[in-house]
Amino acid sequence: MKLSSSPLSTIRFLNFNSPLIISPLSFNFPKTTFTHFPNFSIHTTTSSPAITAAESQLAPPKPLPHLPWLIVGLGNPGKKYNATRHNVGFEMVDAIAESEGISINNANFKALLGRGFIGNVPVMLAKPQTFMNSSGESVGSIVSHYKIPLKQVLVVYDDLDLPFAKLRLLPKGGHGGHNGMRSIIDRLKGSRDFPRLRIGIGRPPGKMDAVNFVLRPFNKQEREELEFTFERGIEAVRILFLEGFDKSATVVNSTKAMEQLG
C-alpha cells in the first residue's frame, strides 16, 4: 500500500530490527487457534479429595473460559506525535495498561504489545507502530496469527465528528474517513464487523486544515478534561468485557450514565 505524502504517513517507519526494540523472539508464540492467549491460565486446580458421584451431581457446572480480547489503540509512533489529538487511541490503551497492571513491553507484528487480564478476561493490548495510515498491516497480522474472532477486537481511535472528550461505542461500522480504520478494514478483507471505541477530538477551529488539527497537542484545559475521558473509557472497557457489549454501550453512549461514572 503506497502512503500519501501527508504528514500522517511520510515519517520513516520504525525499524523493528533495531537493537532498541525488544526482540520479537520474546513474544514468539506458536501459530494456532487459542481459547486463551499463551501463558494465560484460565482454569484452577485444587488439592481437595476426589468428589464422589453423589457430590458431583450437586456441584455447580464449571464456568466456560472467557475468550481473549485484542484492544488496539491507533496513533503515530515517535516523540513528535506524543500527546497529539491523533494519538488518543495510544493514550487510551496506555491508560488501560496502567489501570490493569499490564506492561506493554514487547514488540512483534509491527506493534508494541502487552498481555494480561481485565478481571478474569485475558487481553492483549496493541499499539501499531506502522504509522496511522498503515495500521492494518499490524492489526491484520495479529488477528490472523492468533485467529482472534473480529467480535473480540476492539479498536480505539480519535474522531473528528464527535464533540471533544465524548466517547462512542459501536459494534461495527465503516471507517468514516479515518485512514487508520480504512487500513484495518482493508486488511480484514473489507470486514467492518468489529467493535470500536471512538474518542471525540472536536472539529478544527475556523478554516484550519484537518490534517494540521489532528497533529496538534491538547492545551492544558483539554488535557485535564481528557483524563476524565480516559477514566470513563477504562470503566467502559471493563463493563464490555465482564458484562457484555449492550450494557457497556448503554453506559458509554448515554450522557447521563457517563456523568454518573465520572
Side-chain angles (χ1 to χ4, degrees):
M1 174 179 180
K2 292 185 179 179
L3 299 180
S4 70
S5 58
S6 76
L8 303 183
S9 59
T10 56
I11 309 300
R12 179 171 58 86
F13 276 25
L14 181 64
N15 182 1
F16 278 84
N17 294 320
S18 168
L20 295 178
I21 299 301
I22 299 174
S23 169
L25 293 177
S26 65
F27 214 71
N28 185 20
F29 303 133
K31 183 174 182 179
T32 184
T33 302
F34 295 112
T35 57
H36 59 283
F37 287 121
N39 300 328
F40 285 154
S41 175
I42 57 175
H43 63 277
T44 58
T45 58
T46 177
S47 57
S48 302
I51 299 175
T52 65
E55 291 172 331
S56 66
Q57 295 178 359
L58 300 176
K62 292 182 178 180
L64 295 174
H66 288 281
L67 291 174
W69 276 80
L70 170 65
I71 305 179
V72 180
L74 300 187
N76 287 309
K79 293 182 179 180
K80 177 179 179 180
Y81 300 101
N82 284 348
T84 60
R85 298 170 189 274
H86 219 22
N87 273 35
V88 291
F90 275 8
E91 291 195 56
M92 184 75 251
V93 165
D94 286 338
I96 293 171
E98 181 178 359
S99 175
E100 305 298 335
I102 300 173
S103 297
I104 301 178
N105 57 4
N106 289 282
N108 206 349
F109 305 106
K110 297 183 179 181
L112 298 179
L113 304 170
R115 296 178 299 150
F117 288 89
I118 294 178
N120 58 350
V121 178
V123 60
M124 177 180 288
L125 306 179
K127 296 165 61 179
Q129 301 294 290
T130 56
F131 287 89
M132 184 67 80
N133 291 2
S134 298
S135 299
E137 292 181 18
S138 173
V139 177
S141 296
I142 297 171
V143 170
S144 175
H145 184 87
Y146 292 111
K147 302 187 185 303
I148 304 172
L150 293 188
K151 66 179 182 178
Q152 303 288 126
V153 179
L154 176 67
V155 181
V156 186
Y157 64 99
D158 59 294
D159 194 326
L160 283 164
D161 294 325
L162 277 181
F164 176 76
K166 299 299 182 183
L167 296 174
R168 183 65 54 85
L169 180 66
L170 297 173
K172 58 183 178 179
H175 54 70
H178 192 284
N179 288 333
M181 288 295 288
R182 189 196 309 272
S183 175
I184 291 173
I185 291 172
D186 287 346
R187 284 291 177 143
L188 297 179
K189 299 179 180 179
S191 177
R192 304 177 178 187
D193 298 334
F194 56 90
R196 65 282 312 274
L197 179 62
R198 297 156 51 194
I199 304 175
I201 60 172
R203 299 295 304 180
K207 296 182 179 180
M208 179 181 291
D209 181 72
V211 171
N212 292 329
F213 178 69
V214 300
L215 296 179
R216 290 180 62 184
F218 298 101
N219 61 39
K220 183 178 180 180
Q221 181 179 349
E222 289 173 330
R223 174 56 60 184
E224 291 175 355
E225 187 174 353
L226 200 59
E227 293 304 319
F228 288 105
T229 297
F230 291 150
E231 291 177 9
R232 294 193 294 267
I234 291 168
E235 186 61 26
V237 169
R238 287 174 179 160
I239 295 172
L240 170 63
F241 288 6
L242 302 177
E243 300 184 51
F245 181 90
D246 290 343
K247 176 66 177 293
S248 184
T250 299
V251 172
V252 173
N253 300 335
S254 167
T255 302
K256 183 177 180 180
M258 292 305 291
E259 288 175 350
Q260 291 175 348
L261 280 180

